Amino acid sequence: MTLLENTLQRLGLTSALENTWWQHTQLLNATTSERTLDSEVDRAVFDLLGVSQHQGISAVYANTTSFEGFLTHIAQFNCIKELNLERVNAYLTGKSQPTAMRQLFDEIAAMPDVLTEQDLQQWQEEGYVVVKQALDLKQCDAVIKAIAGFLNADLSQASQWYELKVSAGIMVDLIQHPALTQARNIKRIHKAYSQLWNTEDLIVSSDRCGFNPPQTPTHPFSGPDLHWDLNFSKPLKFGTQGIVYLTDTAPEQGALTVVPGFHHQLAKQVEKYKGKQHEIDFHQFGSKAIGANAGDMVIWHQFLPHGSRPNLAELPRIVQYINMYPFPQV
């Protein structure tokens, strides 16, 4: 039995994770394309394990006949912390969070507000807010170096920008790295999210980074354009998303683009837009590119159509995606 299996057994988590593994294996035999077994709880468990949802599900599909193989696959990322396993156990059993986490939540609660009244008013009206200096420049540089190392490239050299192995156009599939973990654990970011969720008891997403170079005639913008990351087959509810600019990013530099205020419209007219996001030009509703400085973070309401945009500047847009949210009700 591996150290991970021993830990899971000691914490009473083996059956819970095995159930997650088993449910996802059933999707391979599903007759419908709708992923009815793909739950928010699974996503939260994967985030707490330190792997992205894509990595977690890929680990399942690579080990459809072996739960032990699934655990070994996850363990290779070297990201699982016992404290987070204890958190999973507490969430799934309805127990209190570990002492270390309750102390952190108390510390976050006692911090001065990060978002001002003006910020919160903008959030209510427009559905997004800019958190100034979420990361300092040293932290930004550490993440950029991590991205460069992952891509095996000198990001200061324009000649290498268009040879990088990125996915979905501009996404960098770097998830596990100490610099990214440090950024995810910044208390200023935690405080901002706690103000939006009205709770300090939050978990942080294990998400990717992004690299969007300037558009050229031979390398046009590859997207994604304005879209939602929503499952319209389920009732829509409040959620957040977030992006940290690691370099100064002007609006025309491929900056995050949203449709301010659309969270009010979607909430009232879900059926009007359900299944039609690829048929609608959301820019007609007044899209806005949000520029900001290195270290600044944009948090937006998940009901806002959002996306990148063509980078018309001379330098790339380099970002890390960080979101926080409460563990879903079991």
Side-chain angles (χ1 to χ4, degrees):
M1 184 177 291
T2 67
L3 177 61
L4 176 58
E5 288 176 280
N6 273 323
T7 303
L8 291 173
Q9 191 173 73
R10 176 166 55 81
L11 295 174
L13 267 171
T14 302
S15 60
L17 290 182
E18 188 165 12
N19 184 59
T20 295
W21 166 80
W22 181 85
Q23 284 189 322
H24 281 292
T25 64
Q26 305 314 297
L27 294 176
L28 293 176
N29 301 317
T31 58
T32 173
S33 60
E34 182 180 331
R35 298 174 52 166
T36 56
L37 296 177
D38 186 10
S39 73
E40 295 176 341
V41 171
D42 291 343
R43 180 193 66 169
V45 170
F46 287 140
D47 278 336
L48 283 167
L49 291 178
V51 299
S52 68
Q53 188 175 37
H54 173 73
Q55 288 177 322
I57 294 175
S58 295
V60 171
Y61 286 3
N63 300 277
T64 57
T65 61
S66 170
F67 175 62
E68 291 73 20
F70 164 70
L71 292 180
T72 300
H73 192 132
I74 293 294
Q76 74 177 340
F77 295 115
N78 195 32
C79 58
I80 300 177
K81 306 300 181 185
E82 183 163 339
L83 176 60
N84 283 342
L85 291 176
E86 292 175 352
R87 294 190 70 189
V88 172
N89 184 45
Y91 284 128
L92 293 178
T93 60
K95 298 178 181 177
S96 297
Q97 284 292 290
T99 301
M101 293 311 304
R102 286 187 278 115
Q103 291 174 342
L104 173 63
F105 299 154
D106 289 343
E107 183 179 350
I108 298 299
M111 286 177 59
D113 286 344
V114 168
L115 302 179
T116 66
E117 289 298 324
Q118 183 177 1
D119 291 332
L120 295 174
Q121 181 177 352
Q122 177 177 313
W123 174 264
Q124 293 297 326
E125 294 176 357
E126 300 190 323
Y128 79 90
V129 66
V130 178
V131 181
K132 305 299 291 184
Q133 298 177 331
L135 301 184
D136 63 33
L137 295 183
K138 183 177 180 180
Q139 292 162 338
C140 290
D141 188 55
V143 177
I144 292 173
K145 288 180 178 178
I147 295 172
F150 178 78
L151 295 174
N152 192 29
D154 181 351
L155 299 184
S156 68
Q157 298 298 313
S159 60
Q160 299 184 34
W161 292 346
Y162 306 98
E163 301 172 358
L164 302 178
K165 295 182 179 180
V166 295
S167 62
I170 62 174
M171 305 304 294
V172 178
D173 290 323
L174 173 63
I175 310 292
Q176 292 84 23
H177 192 281
L180 273 66
T181 300
Q182 182 183 38
R184 293 172 185 140
N185 291 326
I186 294 298
K187 293 175 183 176
R188 182 171 173 80
I189 293 176
H190 193 151
K191 182 66 178 185
Y193 273 112
S194 74
Q195 289 182 255
L196 298 176
W197 282 100
N198 293 316
T199 180
E200 291 74 37
D201 189 350
L202 302 170
I203 63 175
V204 65
S205 62
S206 298
D207 212 336
R208 299 181 288 182
C209 299
F211 185 88
N212 183 10
Q215 177 176 263
T216 71
T218 55
H219 295 89
F221 175 60
S222 56
D225 202 349
L226 297 181
H227 65 284
W228 287 298
D229 301 307
L230 296 170
N231 183 351
F232 282 91
S233 68
K234 299 179 180 180
L236 300 185
K237 55 186 178 181
F238 175 76
T240 55
Q241 294 177 263
I243 187 172
V244 180
Y245 292 137
L246 301 173
T247 60
D248 291 347
T249 303
E252 67 273 12
Q253 196 176 333
L256 172 75
T257 301
V258 301
V259 180
F262 205 87
H263 56 311
H264 300 298
Q265 186 169 336
L266 180 62
K268 298 175 182 177
Q269 304 182 61
V270 174
E271 292 302 320
K272 179 179 178 180
Y273 299 105
K274 185 177 181 179
K276 299 180 180 179
Q277 69 168 317
H278 300 298
E279 304 172 12
I280 301 173
D281 177 13
F282 291 105
H283 293 286
Q284 66 179 304
F285 300 114
S287 63
K288 178 180 179 180
I290 306 171
N293 296 325
D296 292 347
M297 179 176 194
V298 186
I299 304 176
W300 70 95
H301 194 301
Q302 69 172 353
F303 288 6
L304 296 190
H306 63 278
S308 185
R309 65 189 297 115
N311 185 344
L312 305 179
E314 297 180 354
L315 296 173
R317 185 198 80 169
I318 311 176
V319 301
Q320 178 180 355
Y321 296 91
I322 301 177
N323 189 30
M324 298 189 76
Y325 58 95
F327 195 90
Q329 294 294 320
V330 179

